[in-house]
Coordinates of all heavy atoms in Angstrom, one line a residue:
G17 N 1.5 6.9 -2.6 CA 2.4 8.1 -2.9 C 2.9 8.6 -1.6 O 3.2 7.9 -0.6
K18 N 3.0 9.9 -1.5 CA 3.6 10.6 -0.3 C 2.6 11.3 0.5 O 2.7 12.5 0.7 CB 4.7 11.5 -0.8 CG 5.8 10.8 -1.5 CD 7.0 11.7 -1.8 CE 8.0 10.9 -2.5 NZ 9.3 10.9 -1.9
I19 N 1.6 10.7 1.0 CA 0.6 11.3 1.8 C 1.3 11.4 3.2 O 1.7 10.5 3.8 CB -0.7 10.4 2.0 CG1 -1.3 10.2 0.6 CG2 -1.6 10.9 3.0 CD1 -2.5 9.2 0.6
Q20 N 1.3 12.6 3.7 CA 2.0 12.9 5.0 C 1.2 12.4 6.2 O -0.1 12.2 6.1 CB 2.2 14.5 5.1 CG 3.0 15.1 4.0 CD 4.4 14.5 4.1 OE1 5.1 14.4 5.1 NE2 5.0 14.1 2.9
G21 N 1.9 12.2 7.3 CA 1.2 11.8 8.5 C 1.4 10.4 8.9 O 2.1 9.6 8.2
G22 N 0.7 9.9 10.0 CA 0.8 8.6 10.4 C -0.2 7.7 9.7 O -1.4 8.1 9.6
H23 N 0.2 6.6 9.2 CA -0.7 5.7 8.5 C -1.0 4.5 9.4 O -0.1 4.0 10.1 CB -0.1 5.2 7.2 CG 0.1 6.3 6.2 ND1 -0.9 6.5 5.2 CD2 1.0 7.2 6.0 CE1 -0.5 7.6 4.5 NE2 0.7 8.0 5.0
T24 N -2.2 4.1 9.5 CA -2.7 3.2 10.5 C -2.7 1.7 10.1 O -2.9 1.4 8.9 CB -4.1 3.6 11.0 OG1 -5.0 3.4 9.9 CG2 -4.2 4.9 11.6
K25 N -2.5 0.9 11.1 CA -2.9 -0.5 11.0 C -3.9 -0.7 12.2 O -3.8 -0.1 13.2 CB -1.8 -1.5 11.0 CG -1.1 -1.7 12.4 CD -0.1 -2.9 12.3 CE 0.8 -2.9 13.4 NZ 1.9 -3.9 13.1
N26 N -4.8 -1.6 12.0 CA -5.9 -1.7 12.9 C -6.1 -3.2 13.3 O -6.2 -4.0 12.4 CB -7.2 -1.2 12.3 CG -7.0 0.3 11.9 OD1 -7.2 1.2 12.7 ND2 -6.7 0.4 10.6
L27 N -6.2 -3.5 14.6 CA -6.4 -4.9 15.1 C -7.7 -5.0 15.8 O -7.9 -4.3 16.7 CB -5.2 -5.2 16.0 CG -3.8 -5.0 15.5 CD1 -2.8 -5.3 16.6 CD2 -3.5 -5.9 14.3
F28 N -8.5 -5.9 15.3 CA -9.9 -6.1 15.9 C -9.7 -7.4 16.8 O -9.5 -8.5 16.3 CB -10.9 -6.3 14.8 CG -12.3 -6.5 15.3 CD1 -12.9 -5.6 16.1 CD2 -12.9 -7.8 15.1 CE1 -14.2 -5.8 16.6 CE2 -14.2 -8.0 15.5 CZ -14.9 -7.0 16.3
L29 N -9.7 -7.1 18.1 CA -9.3 -8.2 19.0 C -10.5 -8.5 20.0 O -11.3 -7.6 20.3 CB -8.1 -7.8 19.8 CG -6.9 -7.3 19.0 CD1 -5.8 -6.7 19.9 CD2 -6.3 -8.5 18.2
R30 N -10.4 -9.7 20.6 CA -11.4 -10.1 21.6 C -10.6 -10.8 22.7 O -9.6 -11.5 22.4 CB -12.5 -10.9 21.1 CG -12.2 -12.3 20.6 CD -13.4 -13.0 20.2 NE -13.1 -14.3 19.6 CZ -12.7 -15.4 20.3 NH1 -12.6 -15.3 21.6 NH2 -12.3 -16.5 19.7
D31 N -11.0 -10.6 24.0 CA -10.4 -11.3 25.0 C -11.2 -12.6 25.4 O -12.2 -12.9 24.7 CB -10.1 -10.4 26.2 CG -11.4 -10.0 27.0 OD1 -12.5 -10.5 26.7 OD2 -11.3 -9.0 27.8
K32 N -10.8 -13.2 26.4 CA -11.4 -14.5 26.8 C -12.9 -14.4 27.3 O -13.7 -15.3 27.2 CB -10.6 -15.2 27.9 CG -9.3 -15.7 27.3 CD -8.7 -16.8 28.2 CE -7.3 -17.1 27.6 NZ -7.3 -18.4 27.1
K33 N -13.3 -13.2 27.7 CA -14.7 -12.9 28.1 C -15.5 -12.2 27.0 O -16.5 -11.6 27.2 CB -14.7 -12.1 29.4 CG -14.2 -12.9 30.6 CD -14.6 -12.2 31.9 CE -14.2 -13.1 33.0 NZ -14.5 -12.5 34.3
Q34 N -14.9 -12.3 25.7 CA -15.6 -11.7 24.5 C -15.7 -10.2 24.5 O -16.5 -9.6 23.8 CB -17.0 -12.3 24.4 CG -17.0 -13.9 24.3 CD -16.1 -14.5 23.3 OE1 -16.0 -14.1 22.2 NE2 -15.3 -15.5 23.8
E35 N -14.9 -9.5 25.4 CA -14.8 -8.1 25.3 C -14.0 -7.7 24.0 O -13.0 -8.4 23.7 CB -14.1 -7.5 26.5 CG -14.8 -7.7 27.8 CD -16.2 -7.0 27.9 OE1 -16.2 -5.8 27.4 OE2 -17.1 -7.5 28.4
L36 N -14.4 -6.7 23.3 CA -13.8 -6.4 22.0 C -13.0 -5.1 22.1 O -13.4 -4.1 22.7 CB -15.0 -6.3 21.0 CG -15.8 -7.5 20.9 CD1 -17.1 -7.2 20.1 CD2 -15.0 -8.6 20.2
F37 N -11.9 -5.1 21.3 CA -11.0 -4.0 21.3 C -10.7 -3.7 19.8 O -10.4 -4.7 19.1 CB -9.7 -4.3 22.1 CG -9.9 -4.4 23.5 CD1 -10.4 -5.6 24.1 CD2 -9.6 -3.3 24.4 CE1 -10.6 -5.7 25.5 CE2 -9.8 -3.5 25.7 CZ -10.3 -4.7 26.3
L38 N -10.6 -2.4 19.5 CA -10.0 -2.0 18.2 C -8.7 -1.2 18.5 O -8.8 -0.2 19.1 CB -11.0 -1.1 17.4 CG -10.4 -0.6 16.1 CD1 -10.0 -1.7 15.1 CD2 -11.4 0.4 15.4
V39 N -7.6 -1.8 18.2 CA -6.3 -1.2 18.5 C -5.8 -0.6 17.2 O -5.7 -1.2 16.2 CB -5.3 -2.2 19.0 CG1 -3.9 -1.6 19.2 CG2 -5.8 -2.8 20.3
V40 N -5.6 0.7 17.2 CA -5.2 1.5 16.1 C -3.7 2.0 16.3 O -3.5 2.8 17.3 CB -6.1 2.7 15.9 CG1 -5.7 3.5 14.6 CG2 -7.5 2.3 15.8
A41 N -2.8 1.6 15.5 CA -1.4 2.0 15.7 C -0.8 2.3 14.3 O -1.5 2.2 13.3 CB -0.7 0.8 16.2
E42 N 0.4 2.8 14.3 CA 1.1 3.1 13.1 C 1.3 1.8 12.2 O 1.5 0.7 12.8 CB 2.5 3.7 13.3 CG 2.4 5.1 13.8 CD 3.8 5.8 13.8 OE1 4.2 6.1 12.7 OE2 4.3 6.0 14.9

Side-chain angles (χ1 to χ4, degrees):
K18 297 189 184 234
I19 299 172
Q20 298 298 312
H23 293 267
T24 61
K25 77 170 161 188
N26 305 274
L27 306 173
F28 182 62
L29 305 170
R30 66 176 175 80
D31 69 12
K32 293 198 183 248
K33 291 195 175 181
Q34 307 305 311
E35 296 294 322
L36 301 165
F37 294 79
L38 176 62
V39 176
V40 183
E42 287 191 74

